[in-house]
Amino acid sequence: MSFFDELGQYLGSASNREQIVDTLAEHCYLALLPLVLGIVLAIAIGWLGRAWPRARGVTLVLANLVYTIPSLALFVMIPSLIGTKMLDSINVVVALTLYTAALLVRPVLDALDAVPPAVIASATAMGYRPARRFLTVELPLAVPVLAAGVRVASVSNISLVSVGALIGVGGLGVLFTDGFQREYFSPIVVGIVLTLLLALVVDLLLVLSRRLLTPWDRTTAPVRTEVAV
Amino acid sequence: MIGEIIDWFTSSANWQGADGVPTRVLQHLGYVLLALVLASVIAVPIGLYVGHTGRGGVLLVGSGNVIRALPTLGLVTFLFLLFTDSDVAAIIGLVVLAIPPILAGTYAGLQAVDRAVVDAAEGMGMRGGQRLWQIEVPIALPLVLGGVRNAVLQLVATAAVAAYVGLGGLGRYLLDGLAILDYGEVAAGAILTALLAIVLDVVLAAVQRALVPRGVRLAEAGAKKEVSA
Amino acid sequence: MLERRAFAADLDYGRAGPSRGEWAMGIEFRGVTKKYPDGTVAVDDLNLTIEDGTITVFVGPSGCGKTTSLRMINRMVEPTSGTILLDGADVRDSDPALLRRGIGYVIQHAGLFPHRTVLSNVATVPLLSGWEKRKARERAAELLETVGLPAELGKRYPAQLSGGQQQRVGVARALAADSPVLLMDEPFSAVDPVVREGLQDELLRLQSQLGKTIVFVTHDIDEAVRLGDKVAVLRVGGRLAQYGTPADVLRHPVDDFVAGFVGKDRGYRGLSFLSAGDVLVEDVPTVRVGSAPGESTDWRLAVNDEGEPRGWLPPSSTVDGDLSESDLLAGGSLYQQGTPIRGALDAALSSPASLGVVVDADGKAIGVVTARQVLDVIENHPQGVTR
C-alpha cells in the first residue's frame, strides 16, 4: 500500500478528521494564548527595566536562563513549581508564556532604547505623564523591532506545543504519539504539515498586523549602508 | 515533592550502571556533540559560501525558517518509522534541527561585516579566499559561535524529546519516570537536563568571549558607548 | 608595461621613496561606459586623461558616477565598454588582485580591519606581496610617522582611534603599496570640518613630497578646488560636464549645471586663486604691549616684543600705566603676505579697525590693507592672476 493510499484511508475516516480538527484548535490555543501573554509580560518587564535600570541586568540574566532550559524539562517542572496537576493544559501555557517572555525581553529593551531621546523629551515637554507616554509614544515606536522578535516567538511556540504530547497535552503533537504507537505515517505527516501551515499563516498575519500598526514605517527592507556611487 | 527528589539523588542505585547518572549524562553529551559536529560540517561551509558570495541568501533564510517551524516530536517519530532504528532516527533529527541556527549564525556573521572593510580588503588586492579567511571569518566569529550556542541548546532539548523513540540519555529519566508516575525521577531528569544545558551554554559563552578578536571587542564596546551617550 | 611595473612594485618595496614624478603614471579613460543590468547608466562615454604626478578630483552630485569611475581604475567595477589605460597599458590585461596591490586605495570611514592592530593594518599590502614580517612592520612604522601619527599608536586597534586618526591610518595603509597611483574615494567626508581641513593640508604636504598620481572623489566642491590640480565635474547620468583647473571651473563654468554646482559664492571663492602681490601695504601706528601707550586719535595696532599682532587699541582710549592685553579689542583674521588675495579681503572685513593686518612668514606685523585697496587690485585683474 502506497503512502498516498494510506493517507486517503486515514483522512477518509470521520473520527480521524474530527481528531485532526480538535487537535488543531487545541494547538492554536496552546501556542497563541502564551504568545499574547508573553508579549504583555515582556513589555511589562521592559517598562520595569527602563524605569529601574538596576532590574535590567537581572531580568536579562533570568530571561537567558529560562530560555536555556530544555522544553520537556520545563513542561514537567511547572506542576511542582505552581502546584498544578501533571496533565493540565495550563502547564504548557505557562511554560510557553515564560519562553515567549524570555525571548522578547531583550528585543523589547533594545526597541525601547532605540526610541530617539528627542521624541521622548518632546512628549514630556508637551505634558505626557510617564505611563501614558510609554503606552502612546514609546511603545508604538518600538513595534518594528519588537515585531521581529514576536515572529520568532510565534514560530517557536507553534513548533514546541507538540512536545506537550509527552505529558498528555500537545495539540497536533498527539498525532505524532498516535502515529508512533500505531506505526502509521499518515497522522505524523498530517501533523507536521499542519504545524508548518499554522506557523506560516500566523507569520503572515503578524507581518500584516505589523504593517497596519506602523503606517509610518512602510519600508520593510532593512536599510543597509551602501557604497556611495 | 522535594523529598522525592532528594531521595532520588541520594539513592546510590541511581548513580551506577547503564541507567546511572554518569552514563546518562555522557550519553546525552555524546549525542549532542556528534550531532553538533555533523551539523557544523554541513552548515558552516554553506553559510560561509552564501555569506561571502551573497548568492542564495533568500533561499537560506527561507529554508532555515521552515526547518525551525518543524515540530521536534513529529520529525523524530517520522524518522523512526522511516529507519526503524532509534539512534539513527534521533541523530538525523538532531542534525536537521541543529543546522538552521549554525547556518543563520554563520550567514548573519558574514553579513554583519562592515561593507567598507570588505571593500578595502578587495581594493588592496586580497583574493576571495584571503578576504574570507583573514578578514570576514575572524570578524564574524562571535556571531558564528552565537549560532553554535543556539544549536547546542536546541540539541540538548531535542535529545531529551528523542527519548520517546528509544534514545538513551537524560530524556530516559523524564519519560520512564512519567510512565511509572515516579515524580522524583521525572524531576531529577528535568533538573539534570536543565543543568546540562545551562553548563554547556556558560562554557560556550566563555569560549565565545575568548575567541572574539580584541579589536572587534573594542569596536563593539565603542559602539555601545556611542549609543548610550 | 603595466604588468612589469606592478611586478617591479611587488619586488622593490624596500627601496627609498621615489623622487617627484619618477614612478608616476598617467591614467586615461577612453570611451568608458558603465551600464548596469537594470538599465541605469552610471558612467556615459567618459574620455579623460589624468596627468601623472597630479591630484585630479572627480566631483559631482550623488549618482554622477564619480565613485564608479574611480573604482573602474582598479577593476573593482568592470566597464561595459571602453578602455582604461594605466601608464599606457589596458588595466584589463593584469590580474585584478596584483593590479590592486600596486594601487593605493583609501575610502570613506577608512575601512580599517577592526580585528588587526594599526601596524598590521598598514602592513597589509607588503605582507600580501610576500614581504617578511619584520620588514613589513618596519615599513608600516615609517609610514605612520609619514602621515603624522606617533609610533605608539601602532599597537592600538582601530576602535581606539579618533575618526581623523583612522583616516590617517587609511592613508598610510594605501601608501604602503608604494605605488605611483593613489585612489581616494571620499576619504575625508566622514570627519568633522576642522579635522577635515587638517587632513587636506596633510595630503597636500604629502603630495608635495611624494608626487603621486592621485585620483580623488568628493561631492564637496570646496574640497575639490582646494585639493585638485585638475577638477572633473560630472553630472547625473555619468557624463563629464567640465574638466579643467579649479580656477577655470570657478571662473568659466561651461554651462548652468556647472555654474549651479560650484555655487553662488563662486566669485568670492575664486579669489583663492588670485595672488595679492600688488596690494599696497600701508604703515600703521603701533604700540607695544607692556609699555605706556600715550595718546592718539587713530586706531593703533598692539604688538608684542616679537612684533606679532595682539589686538587693536581704539582711538582716544585711555590706559592707566602700561598697556596690557586686557585693554585691547580682539583683532580679525591675519593675512600672510604672498598667499591668495581672499585672505587679505577677509582680514580687512573682519578687523574692528577695518584695517586688515598683514604679517610676514614669521608672523610679524608688517602693515595693513583696506578692503578698498584689495577691491582695486581685483578690479584691475578681471581675469585674475591664477596660481
Side-chain angles (χ1 to χ4, degrees), chain C residues 293-298 300 312-319 327:
Chain C
E295 278 178 29
S296 168
T297 54
D298 288 325
R300 285 178 292 168
W312 287 94
L313 192 60
S316 313
S317 45
T318 52
V319 173
D327 300 318

Side-chain angles (χ1 to χ4, degrees), chain B residues 114-127 130-131 134-136 138-139 213-216 218-220, chain C residues 71 74 76 95-98 100-101 103 105 107-116 124-125 128 157 159-160 173:
Chain B
D114 185 355
R115 293 334 286 168
V117 169
V118 180
D119 188 67
E122 192 185 356
M124 282 190 297
M126 285 194 178
R127 297 184 192 280
Q130 291 171 322
R131 217 156 64 224
Q134 295 183 24
I135 307 299
E136 291 174 297
I139 297 174
R214 200 168 109 81
V216 173
L218 286 166
E220 275 165 8
Chain C
R71 288 162 67 90
N74 67 353
M76 301 281 281
D95 172 82
L98 289 181
R100 291 170 193 152
R101 285 176 205 171
I103 296 178
Y105 185 57
I107 56 175
Q108 196 181 356
H109 302 294
L112 299 182
F113 303 146
H115 60 308
R116 293 190 175 172
T124 304
V125 174
L128 280 176
Y157 286 95
Q160 296 168 305
R173 188 171 67 171

